[in-house]
Amino acid sequence: QGTIMEEQSTELIEESSSELPTQEETTTSGLEQNVCSVDIDPTKPMVALTFDDGPARNTTSRLLDTLELYGAHATFYVVGYNIPGNEDIIKRASEIGCEIGNHSTGHQKLIDLDDAGVIGAIQPIADQVKALTNQKVVTCRPPFGSIDERVQNIVAAPIILWSVDTLDWKTKNTE
């Protein structure tokens, strides 16, 4: 699912700046990369490109080709069951400056899980992404946008939703 989120203020940047990884946390295979180093003018309108439910071999690779061609970046919210066999895609996304976000191990509706279930749905993705990219997962997008105060406290990361939903999930079969 592709989602476009427009930021009309600097609140998100200010809120999450303390959550961003340090330079040491963003070193990948000897290449230094820091998501904080992108020049952003918070006085100008911004659009954040985010993609959920991947990685998918063909789609995500084509997206990365296009982003790289134009020097653009996006956040890819990955689901655990799509990681095996696509580790190279996650590494590539990270290497070209994209953020890898947490979308749970199995696209679970987090508010329906008990506390241990929420941890079990989130922590393995954070661990896998860290192992693949040497970067801390900074943000989380709960599947279905389903979040409450209890889950937010357990996740303990900025929750990123969307302001424009393409509704592609209503008419597109993921197969």
Side-chain angles (χ1 to χ4, degrees):
Q1 174 183 3
T3 307
I4 299 174
M5 180 179 71
E6 296 180 38
E7 291 181 25
Q8 297 184 356
S9 72
T10 60
E11 290 177 20
L12 177 61
I13 294 169
E14 292 168 358
E15 281 180 21
S16 64
S17 63
S18 64
E19 300 290 331
L20 292 173
T22 65
Q23 184 70 33
E24 181 178 283
E25 291 174 326
T26 59
T27 301
T28 307
S29 304
L31 298 173
E32 289 197 5
Q33 168 179 324
N34 187 340
V35 294
C36 302
S37 66
V38 177
D39 291 328
I40 296 175
D41 182 349
T43 64
K44 293 186 177 180
M46 292 179 250
V47 173
L49 298 174
T50 66
F51 300 93
D52 298 359
D53 303 338
R57 172 88 21 214
N58 293 327
T59 307
T60 308
S61 294
R62 287 191 348 245
L63 286 167
L64 291 173
D65 290 344
T66 303
L67 291 168
E68 192 169 24
L69 179 67
Y70 291 98
H73 302 94
T75 301
F76 290 88
Y77 287 97
V78 298
V79 176
Y81 56 67
N82 286 330
I83 294 175
N86 292 310
E87 294 88 349
D88 60 315
I89 294 172
I90 293 173
K91 289 178 186 177
R92 179 177 174 217
S94 176
E95 288 169 359
I96 68 169
C98 293
E99 178 184 6
I100 310 301
N102 197 326
H103 201 47
S104 82
T105 55
H107 210 270
Q108 303 97 313
K109 193 170 185 181
L110 299 179
I111 64 170
D112 290 345
L113 304 176
D114 63 17
D115 293 3
V118 172
I119 293 166
I122 296 300
Q123 191 59 51
I125 300 306
D127 295 342
Q128 285 180 288
V129 171
K130 175 74 172 174
L132 289 170
T133 67
N134 200 30
Q135 290 189 18
K136 178 182 174 185
V137 174
V138 177
T139 62
C140 178
R141 172 168 287 162
F144 313 103
S146 183
I147 190 77
D148 61 19
E149 186 176 340
R150 177 187 67 88
V151 171
Q152 169 115 30
N153 290 334
I154 295 168
V155 171
I159 301 297
I160 307 299
L161 298 176
W162 49 86
S163 59
V164 177
D165 188 342
T166 62
L167 303 179
D168 60 337
W169 51 270
K170 283 187 172 184
T171 59
K172 302 291 182 191
N173 182 339
T174 59
E175 305 298 318

